[in-house]
């Protein structure tokens, strides 16, 4: 399979995994930076993630313009993706989700911190981006132009995830497997933290070294590939997986 | 397809979507104002929403009387629908649900406010209608006559949703797609708000401009149609969708 | 269908409904008083409710003795059923469940009160039976003899449900449809009450007249039959339903 | 069936049950002490539990070395199993899980106590093992060598379960049926306790005699076999069950 074919398959797999795991619902999207041209990214036409197929995928420039003569309606919020790819050359895949469990932390002044090892790649604390800070109180909270995408990317900084107040989160990864895994466990981490706080005692988040120590994510390691395979099978797209590395 | 056929299909789709999404269970109902006669509305015979088919749909006058010689038992609470259509010429579709996540706010003095953008159409704060205020402490909480339906409509006012104490909610929309979307995200908003309050810090609801700014809902916009299509597919009724607009 | 055949079908339907709705899991059971002999009751052999079939049903005397030459292992806790039938001639069906949502109220001094109309038949407040009060601190909490069943029945009194501390609940009804409906909505009521209390404000339980006013449950009323039919269909046992009344 | 065949079948059944019940997800594992050689244990190759088949099972020495010429990648954390078998001759089966509901108690100073009878075998209070106490703040929290496995076993002591801070739990049993049942009900117990604490009143955990009194678990007793059979059927592996005892 060519690099481009693999990328197209992986976008479909990622959409289906996140839909099946409940991380995205009618809304939400996943993109990959174009493997042959870093100034472009690949993203489905406007479509619910569970329904995305290979033929739905469109190509965009980093400022969100459709490449070529493709007249299908794109996602309004493709600027989330473009903004992040533009600011972060190390990022090759982006997820945008409204995952319910993360939303309370997006509207609260209580910070979302990592408390479980499967979410250690989220970093020591997730920043919250409030669209109203720069764009005022009269938006519909959607990221609908490059300015807004860039402002979100600025809040993300060198991190992996930013919460978007009243809206969801944007997550970035070096690989699609990495950002999908993070997107699966971020809501779990949010629920565990929420419950730990409700217990009323003291609780211990991950130590800085435990957050740091996870190091580079290798999607080809047996335990990483195994999770990716498992999620893909459950989502009914194992035929797109290709050879086990 | 004629306007009436479309309305009948859409009632079935809406019932199945709301059942599949867990917004209604054994109980709950959805109606559409008759597209050819605004003094009438269409509603299933007394039947659990997941089982509703086209042939189950009956026609009612706004005061809840069965039109024609249809002797099948209607819902006891058809007056919720009649009351709202009578008071609100702008309303063309109504949902009644016992959605669990909204019930705590119906019995509490803590108000249900919008905190996420997908629920911004619910308005700045949801009023609670307590049947006991006017009809006393000896009802079974059901809306079983036009007086009660009218009193509920009065509490709704110019809004989109009213909570019914100890019972559920009634939601109104300009289109069936609009009110179904609101009914899907109202429980999500309730859960997010509940959790944000449990975190114990301060939280930020949507700003007035963010609630207002959503403007007129267009069910034919790609992102709105996409969600409707997605929910219908999951509920197994995509064959009733008709042409994509 | 004979009265006995109907009873056997209904036990199967009830077991499957409660399993499908998550009210029972590997454990839990449902019985019916023998329709031809009020001194006997019908209950499955020891088997997880989702697996119960007509041929699994055994006959017992009210003190829990197997009738006839049936050597299949019965449930250890059949005395819950016998105790209730013995004490309450008006009771014709009994459910025992470990439904998770009710368990916190069984170990807490916070009372489980009705807050939603679909659970109004539970009565104004659910008593808690603590096996340790009479039988000490060294039981395994199971109701394994007639003495324990009688003590539980005494705590139930003239009510519909008793919580069993650290264990579950026992519910009683005039008909199997009535007690199944109550068993489905008791956990919902528990969750709603739990959340309302977590909101931190004041909340309003059902008024005494609202609890009282529900009156006699008629399983043949369209809305009651409709719910029974709906739950049976979802559980895959609609072929056992018989004629709609 | 030989003892070894039964063990291999039971490992598959256990993996599938725990996956189906949501106790394990992409990660987690189950082992059995080799029935013919107590110095060895059987465990799947690195694979998500829902996908484990008989041919995936590998053999290990108690210090986690692969037996024979099997070059398939093993779980990184096989030392959890080896550590427990080495320290506890009475233990014949081990489960490692990230079950979400137990995680808050692993990071909190609020202890996880038994409050429901189906979890009474967990013991009076679950100890928490914090890898950082002995191995510092720079691990990735995984148990990746025998030293760490032994330290975990020490914290378990004579108990049945230890929580692992920020990670999950390790549970041990005399039989695979016993440890699976405990692993199923431990998360339920955690949720019930969490909710009881949120109610804000006083609550009553199981008394010492109620924890003690459960005695030896007999997987062949009708009620125990029934639960095992039920879970296996739901998980689609009833064909591996063998004869009912």
């Amino acid at each position: 399979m060519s690099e481009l074919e693999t990328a197209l398959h992986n976008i479909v797999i990622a959409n289906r995994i996140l839909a099946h795991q409940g991380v995205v619902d009618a809304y939400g999207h996943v993109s990959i930076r174009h493997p042959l041209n870093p100034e472009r990214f690949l993203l489905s036409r406007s479509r619910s993630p569970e329904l995305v197929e290979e033929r739905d995928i469109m190509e965009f420039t980093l400022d969100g313009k459709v490449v070529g003569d493709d007249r299908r309606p794109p996602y309004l919020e493709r600027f989330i993706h473009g903004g992040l790819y533009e600011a972060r050359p190390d990022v090759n895949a982006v997820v945008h989700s409204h995952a319910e469990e993360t939303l309370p932390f997006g509207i609260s002044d209580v910070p979302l911190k990592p408390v479980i090892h499967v979410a250690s790649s989220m970093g020591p604390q997730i920043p919250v981006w409030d669209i109203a800070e720069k764009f005022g109180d009269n938006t519909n909270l959607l990221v609908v132009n490059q300015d807004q995408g860039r402002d979100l990317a600025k809040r993300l900084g060198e991190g992996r995830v930013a919460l978007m107040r009243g809206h969801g989160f944007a997550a970035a990864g070096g690989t699609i497997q990495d950002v999908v895994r993070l997107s699966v466990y971020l809501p779990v981490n949010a629920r565990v933290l929420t419950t730990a706080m409700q217990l009323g005692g003291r609780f211990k988040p991950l130590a800085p070294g435990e957050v740091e120590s996870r190091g580079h994510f290798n999607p080809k390691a047996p335990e990483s590939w195994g999770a990716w395979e498992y999620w893909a099978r459950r989502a009914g797209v194992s035929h797109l997986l290709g050879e086990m590395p």
Side-chain angles (χ1 to χ4, degrees), chain A:
Chain A
M1 231 176 349
S2 74
E3 270 191 282
L4 182 57
E5 280 172 319
T6 301
L8 295 173
H9 283 198
N10 282 343
I11 293 180
V12 176
I13 293 173
N15 271 282
R16 303 296 186 88
I17 287 176
L18 293 176
H20 186 264
Q21 296 286 125
V23 179
V24 294
D25 62 350
Y27 306 104
H29 16 95
V30 193
S31 69
I32 291 186
R33 192 190 289 270
H34 197 297
L36 306 176
N37 182 347
E39 298 300 311
R40 304 267 172 91
F41 65 93
L42 303 164
L43 178 69
S44 170
R45 68 179 174 101
S46 181
R47 198 150 212 223
S48 294
E50 195 172 86
L51 306 181
V52 168
E53 300 177 42
E54 200 174 327
R55 63 175 176 235
D56 293 318
I57 297 167
M58 301 172 69
E59 190 174 331
F60 298 91
T61 58
L62 297 193
D63 58 354
K65 293 203 177 69
V66 178
V67 173
D69 194 31
D70 195 330
R71 292 163 184 273
R72 297 176 294 176
Y75 291 121
L76 298 177
E77 297 200 279
R78 59 198 177 277
F79 304 97
I80 293 172
H81 303 263
L84 265 59
Y85 290 123
E86 190 186 74
R88 290 275 298 275
D90 61 314
V91 164
N92 293 307
V94 170
V95 168
H96 171 56
S97 152
H98 303 166
E100 189 181 316
E101 298 86 346
T102 65
L103 293 169
F105 291 95
I107 63 172
S108 171
D109 59 4
V110 174
L112 180 52
K113 295 181 176 178
V115 292
I116 52 175
H117 77 303
V118 282
S120 65
S121 72
M122 67 188 250
Q125 186 170 320
I126 311 260
V128 177
W129 177 70
D130 185 345
I131 194 172
E133 278 183 34
K134 180 159 177 190
F135 301 96
D137 269 1
N138 289 295
T139 74
N140 58 8
L141 287 96
L142 301 181
V143 176
V144 293
N145 59 51
Q146 193 68 0
D147 258 13
Q148 292 173 340
R150 282 178 181 143
D151 197 52
L152 169 59
K154 197 185 292 177
R155 178 59 47 97
L156 182 71
E158 293 307 307
R160 294 288 312 277
V161 198
L163 297 179
M164 305 160 77
R165 193 265 303 164
H167 182 168
F169 71 78
T175 59
I176 184 92
Q177 288 87 354
D178 190 11
V179 74
V180 165
R181 187 177 184 276
L182 174 55
S183 299
V184 167
Y185 285 117
L186 194 65
V188 178
N189 189 92
R191 281 197 297 264
V192 171
L193 175 55
T194 299
T195 304
M197 295 180 69
Q198 290 170 344
L199 290 179
R202 304 181 62 147
F203 69 93
K204 182 177 180 180
L206 295 190
E210 291 165 346
V211 177
E212 239 66 49
S213 70
R214 210 174 145 274
H216 186 65
F217 178 84
N218 176 9
K220 296 180 178 170
E223 62 280 9
S224 307
W225 177 260
W228 179 252
E229 182 198 2
Y230 164 69
W231 290 321
R233 278 212 195 190
R234 287 171 65 95
V237 288
S238 58
H239 60 287
L240 299 176
L241 278 171
E243 286 293 295
M244 183 175 164

